[in-house]
Amino acid sequence: MSTPLEDLFTVLRFPSVSTDSSRRDDTRACANWLVEKLGRMGLKTELHETSGHPVVVAQNEHRPDRRTVLIYGHYDVQPAEPLSEWRTPAFEPTLVGDRILCRGAADNKGQFMAHVCGVEQALREHGDLPVNLTFLIEGEEEIGSPNLKPFLLANKELLKCDVVAISDTGMVAQGKGTFTYGLRGIACVEVTVRGPGIDLHSGLFGGAVANPNMALARILSTFHDPEGRVSVEGFYDDVRPLADWERESWATLGDSAAETQKLTGVPELFGEAGYSDMERRWARPTAEINGIGGGYQGEGSKTVIPRSAFAKFSFRLVPDQSPDDILAKVEAHLRKHTPPGVSLEIELGHTGQPYLMDPFSPFGKAAQNALEATFGGKPASSVKVAAFRSCRLSAMCSAWTPSCWGWRCPTAKPMLRTKTTRWRTSKQASGSTSICCANWPSDRLRMTTQVFCHTGRALHKQRLSPSSHHPD
């Protein structure tokens, strides 16, 4: 029988990059391994096909007198490029001190495997679970989960549950139980500025035609004011302000600014005036340029006026902003600020609704009580999956890895942490490279089992009616 750490290493070795078509077979192989693993635990397990990557569903025996918990995870990961910046092989788990360095270790394979191994131990020790359990592990989260909503709606009866538990967030500090009750939404767009039909020699045509690079730079410069606020007209119209209790609660977590600066390596922090570092990252909407390009990119110089330039945007949204409304306002802003001499092409990308649950609901209290019983002390509360919003379910997160605000950077060094914040980051930056594993096989497993059992007992003690909530 393999150990939990061996199982984690096995699943980490699959280069399950959902956005890369050349990794399609690797991604499927990861799903197949999960089906075998969950089946060996005694769960009824199925691999469900979609038009993209498959969905893994596993369940224990469901009884009408028990509440039903659905645990969500995703087995796909972000691309590992640029590979030259990795200090260790991207898809070979490497122990460095008390850390496992590998793509996907902290997003999301480390987290969902903690649940899987915790449930396995609970079944081994007790023979049964205090709740009806459904694992739903998809393979397309990193590309916006395009097939998740259709899958949920097509499988209402199979997936009906009372609450969704997700561990795809971070901890505020090592050993600090963290309850995430909110998630920022997302809206993406790509814009291409086109000028001449071909690249032109700047010595012959410079000054006579508009340069798409310059035009794009002018457009991008209009998105923020000097104080860090987004300048798109109407962008903040529907933003739900932070409640007083939230600001007070987050303030007790300490000043995170110095740590954020250290983790990111920036010379100083910059963001929307009037908000703390945590509030900016957890509860305020943002506009970011994720990629930009145009013209000659090779070594040395090539004096051209490029035929086109492009930029990729993502907007993090908060309740009660609508992705469609924000994209319409962004498109109007782009067209309003397009200078003469160029044309604009706008391609709308994937979106996700912001989500916010009531942390004081029975489910929220059960989760926080379980974290407190397991970790000791009150859990931290934070805001950090959009597709579940369509199902009208309560969703909550407990974190098993520390926060890392450089999750997309292959050289980032996240630490193990826990936090309770207000879910407002539609699957916060993904592709973490390391997970603290000092006691992963024992302490992480023990904590997962304890949290699961504490939560199950708490739900059972509520003596609520049998589960009936499902997508509609």
Side-chain angles (χ1 to χ4, degrees):
M1 181 183 296
S2 58
T3 67
L5 192 59
E6 288 170 342
D7 283 341
L8 175 60
F9 275 29
T10 297
V11 78
L12 287 174
R13 290 189 177 101
F14 290 103
S16 48
V17 182
S18 54
T19 194
D20 186 346
S21 59
S22 70
R23 298 290 197 183
R24 190 173 186 85
D25 290 345
D26 297 315
T27 304
R28 175 170 288 274
C30 186
N32 288 335
W33 183 88
L34 287 170
V35 169
E36 294 177 5
K37 170 64 182 177
L38 293 163
R40 288 195 301 269
M41 291 164 49
L43 303 179
K44 180 183 177 182
T45 308
E46 295 181 89
L47 187 69
H48 294 264
E49 299 295 339
T50 72
S51 60
H53 300 294
V55 176
V56 177
V57 175
Q59 297 177 316
N60 64 345
E61 181 183 356
H62 284 203
R63 300 196 326 228
D65 61 335
R66 299 192 300 201
R67 305 295 291 191
T68 300
V69 177
L70 186 151
I71 297 178
Y72 167 90
H74 64 91
Y75 62 86
D76 64 320
V77 301
Q78 282 281 318
E81 287 77 8
L83 296 176
S84 61
E85 294 188 22
W86 281 80
R87 299 171 185 172
T88 60
F91 290 104
E92 179 55 43
T94 305
L95 280 171
V96 179
D98 62 354
R99 299 177 188 281
I100 302 169
L101 302 182
C102 192
R103 172 55 96 225
D107 184 21
N108 173 243
K109 294 178 177 179
Q111 289 97 323
F112 80 69
M113 283 302 294
H115 283 293
V116 168
C117 294
V119 168
E120 182 178 35
Q121 181 166 313
L123 287 170
R124 187 181 303 125
E125 293 179 356
H126 306 290
D128 197 5
L129 302 173
V131 296
N132 298 328
L133 173 69
T134 297
F135 275 113
L136 189 160
I137 308 173
E138 65 151 323
E140 298 183 327
E141 191 274 346
E142 300 294 2
I143 55 174
S145 302
N147 290 297
L148 181 57
K149 182 177 178 179
F151 176 76
L152 295 175
L153 295 176
N155 293 275
K156 297 177 183 179
E157 288 303 314
L158 175 68
L159 302 173
K160 65 180 181 181
C161 61
D162 299 289
V163 65
V164 177
I166 304 166
S167 289
D168 195 8
T169 53
M171 300 164 72
V172 294
Q174 185 157 347
K176 180 68 172 176
T178 299
F179 177 64
T180 298
Y181 61 97
L183 179 68
R184 288 195 295 187
I186 191 170
C188 294
V189 63
E190 181 171 345
V191 57
T192 301
V193 177
R194 298 198 182 277
I198 59 173
D199 289 355
L200 300 177
H201 194 295
S202 64
L204 295 177
F205 296 98
V209 298
N211 184 316
N213 278 349
M214 296 297 294
L216 179 61
R218 289 174 60 183
I219 294 171
L220 300 184
S221 69
T222 67
F223 269 84
H224 294 88
D225 68 15
E227 298 299 315
R229 282 180 62 85
V230 179
S231 299
V232 174
E233 186 175 351
F235 187 79
Y236 294 97
D237 285 355
D238 298 318
V239 171
R240 187 188 306 183
L242 275 166
D244 290 342
W245 72 264
E246 291 178 296
R247 303 192 81 165
E248 293 169 2
S249 173
W250 297 358
T252 65
L253 301 178
D255 183 5
S256 64
E259 185 178 11
T260 298
Q261 183 176 352
K262 180 180 179 181
L263 282 171
T264 59
V266 296
E268 62 179 303
L269 299 185
F270 175 78
E272 187 180 3
Y275 295 91
S276 69
D277 170 59
M278 288 182 184
E279 291 168 351
R280 291 170 181 168
R281 292 186 289 106
W282 294 349
R284 296 299 295 169
T286 65
E288 300 293 347
I289 301 167
N290 308 124
I292 184 171
Y296 180 63
Q297 305 291 324
E299 185 178 356
S301 62
K302 184 180 180 182
T303 57
V304 298
I305 297 172
R307 62 185 300 181
S308 65
F310 74 90
K312 297 175 183 285
F313 295 83
S314 65
F315 300 86
R316 296 293 177 173
L317 311 179
V318 302
D320 296 296
Q321 290 179 300
S322 160
D324 291 341
D325 175 64
I326 292 300
L327 287 179
K329 290 173 178 176
V330 168
E331 182 171 359
H333 180 91
L334 288 165
R335 298 198 183 282
K336 176 181 177 181
H337 293 279
T338 300
V342 296
S343 63
L344 201 64
E345 294 179 5
I346 299 174
E347 181 180 352
L348 303 183
H350 70 274
T351 62
Q353 292 279 355
Y355 180 82
L356 192 65
M357 74 164 288
D358 180 4
F360 304 111
S361 67
F363 293 121
K365 289 180 179 178
Q368 293 183 71
N369 290 340
L371 288 169
E372 183 172 357
T374 300
F375 287 91
K378 280 191 147 320
S381 298
S382 73
V383 180
K384 296 276 186 184
V385 233
F388 286 102
R389 184 179 179 85
S390 66
C391 305
R392 301 181 185 177
L393 294 169
S394 294
M396 57 189 179
C397 289
S398 59
W400 296 106
T401 56
S403 298
C404 174
W405 300 285
W407 276 3
R408 291 186 185 271
C409 303
T411 53
K413 291 185 177 179
M415 299 177 299
L416 209 64
R417 310 181 157 212
T418 349
K419 80 184 156 199
T420 302
T421 50
R422 182 178 169 176
W423 283 7
R424 294 201 184 168
T425 310
S426 187
K427 294 305 187 147
Q428 225 176 346
S430 38
S432 320
T433 61
S434 73
I435 179 173
C436 180
C437 72
N439 297 301
W440 199 93
S442 54
D443 285 359
R444 291 307 109 193
L445 188 56
R446 174 180 54 78
M447 289 176 179
T448 308
T449 305
Q450 288 180 359
V451 168
F452 188 85
C453 291
H454 282 309
T455 305
R457 293 189 194 106
L459 295 177
H460 183 71
K461 287 178 181 178
Q462 290 174 16
R463 297 180 180 176
L464 299 174
S465 59
S467 58
S468 58
H469 305 298
H470 56 79
D472 61 8

